[in-house]
Amino acid sequence: MSKTAVHTGSRLYQIVSDMQGERPWGNFLDAGTGKGSLRWLLTLDTERWTAITAAPSMAEQVSRELGEQKRSQDRLLVGNWSDPEFLQGERFDTVLADYLLGAIDGFAPYTQDQLFPRLRPLTGQRLYIIGLEPYVPYSSTDPAGKLIVEIGRLRDACLLLAGERPYREYPMDWVLRHLRQSGYRCVDAQRFGIRYSDGFINGQLDMCDARLRRLKDRNLAMALSEHVQALRQQALALNQTLGGLRHGHDYVICAEADPVSS
């Protein structure tokens, strides 16, 4: 859910650049933009780019991040991929779906299986997917893994109690299967171990604190707040001892639009 693992961001974007090689980026679509992907996008030699978010608040953050760096041909748009008219008839040389699949549940629940068919007519050449292997539903016997899972479960519980929907991540095998069904050919797929940092711990538990302030049942909120604080202290201490909490995997997939299925 968070991009604050030690390697996430620059390393995974570098993998995308390595997969792209000498191919021109051309007309670029960032199908689920955020500050991290935008910073990377601005370093690329693109003809033009279009960055999409379903959240007006994220559009405001990204717009502030852009400052004067957006060219006249570039676009930052608010839109939802569940809208069949959105960007209809357009085509992009390169499409990036950066942790987009996991975020869909918050904006268009139960439509994850429609994402790749939706992006297929927009993909002129390549689609790059950055994703996270699900970890919240699964147990771990490793001390670091147990803490990461506990943080994830507590975060999701607080989001649900506050009336929000947590991210819903999908494994790489699911993505590869649905890419094939949607008319893509997989070119490369790589998985990378995650080492979570203090930034992840504090970011996820700060999210819990913010949601708990909304609860009407203050006794429940106070009990959960104490648990958040205890878990924070435990996780930060173990993180300092181990030099990072190693658990789970991110993945990067490169796929091309299959002309046979067009």
Side-chain angles (χ1 to χ4, degrees):
M1 176 171 186
S2 170
K3 301 181 187 180
T4 53
V6 167
H7 71 261
T8 305
S10 58
R11 179 184 173 190
L12 298 182
Y13 296 138
Q14 183 58 52
I15 297 300
V16 173
S17 294
D18 292 344
M19 290 178 175
Q20 182 76 356
E22 298 301 317
R23 290 170 172 261
W25 297 101
N27 185 13
F28 194 108
L29 173 64
D30 184 355
T33 197
K35 291 187 288 186
S37 62
L38 181 75
R39 291 189 193 110
W40 174 68
L41 176 55
L42 291 173
T43 70
L44 305 180
D45 183 16
T46 60
E47 293 177 8
R48 57 189 177 276
W49 54 257
T50 300
I52 309 299
T53 177
S57 59
M58 178 56 70
E60 293 176 5
Q61 293 179 43
V62 169
S63 183
R64 288 194 296 270
E65 183 82 16
L66 274 171
E68 301 298 321
Q69 299 177 82
K70 186 167 75 70
R71 302 165 298 187
S72 59
Q73 66 267 37
D74 301 328
R75 298 180 297 176
L76 172 61
L77 304 176
V78 176
N80 196 309
W81 293 117
S82 63
D83 176 4
E85 305 297 322
F86 185 60
L87 296 187
Q88 186 178 38
E90 298 200 31
R91 202 163 179 83
F92 301 86
D93 299 302
T94 312
V95 179
L96 173 69
D98 178 29
Y99 297 101
L100 175 60
L101 186 63
I104 285 179
D105 224 46
F107 302 97
Y110 310 114
T111 63
Q112 288 89 345
D113 62 320
Q114 299 175 24
L115 176 63
F116 302 133
R118 180 68 176 83
L119 294 177
R120 174 62 182 83
L122 302 177
T123 306
Q125 296 181 19
R126 284 193 163 182
L127 167 67
Y128 290 101
I129 299 163
I130 297 176
L132 173 67
E133 293 281 358
Y135 66 90
V136 172
Y138 306 105
S139 299
S140 174
T141 57
D142 176 76
K146 288 175 69 175
L147 275 176
I148 293 298
V149 170
E150 188 173 355
I151 289 170
R153 290 176 176 176
L154 180 58
R155 174 203 64 212
D156 288 358
C158 291
L159 287 168
L160 287 168
L161 287 169
E164 298 182 33
R165 300 183 68 93
Y167 277 39
R168 185 180 184 186
E169 306 293 349
Y170 285 78
M172 188 168 74
D173 289 346
W174 187 98
V175 174
L176 293 172
R177 186 167 63 250
H178 281 261
L179 283 170
R180 289 191 294 269
Q181 294 171 1
S182 304
Y184 288 93
R185 179 179 66 89
C186 180
V187 175
D188 198 355
Q190 299 181 37
R191 187 182 280 110
F192 304 91
I194 302 173
R195 180 161 57 95
Y196 290 100
S197 66
D198 284 357
F200 172 87
I201 296 166
N202 287 319
Q204 302 303 286
L205 296 177
D206 286 349
M207 191 184 303
C208 293
D209 284 334
R211 272 59 181 185
L212 291 176
R213 287 194 286 270
R214 302 181 194 170
L215 298 192
K216 294 181 179 179
D217 187 336
R218 298 315 302 163
N219 289 329
L220 175 60
M222 290 174 63
L224 285 170
S225 181
E226 291 177 2
H227 181 52
V228 168
Q229 189 59 26
L231 186 58
R232 189 192 302 268
Q233 293 175 358
Q234 183 183 2
L236 290 173
L238 185 62
N239 182 54
Q240 184 174 12
T241 299
L242 299 179
L245 302 181
R246 298 178 185 274
H247 182 70
H249 295 82
D250 287 307
Y251 54 83
V252 179
I253 298 172
C254 172
E256 292 182 348
D258 187 349
V260 176
S261 63
S262 299

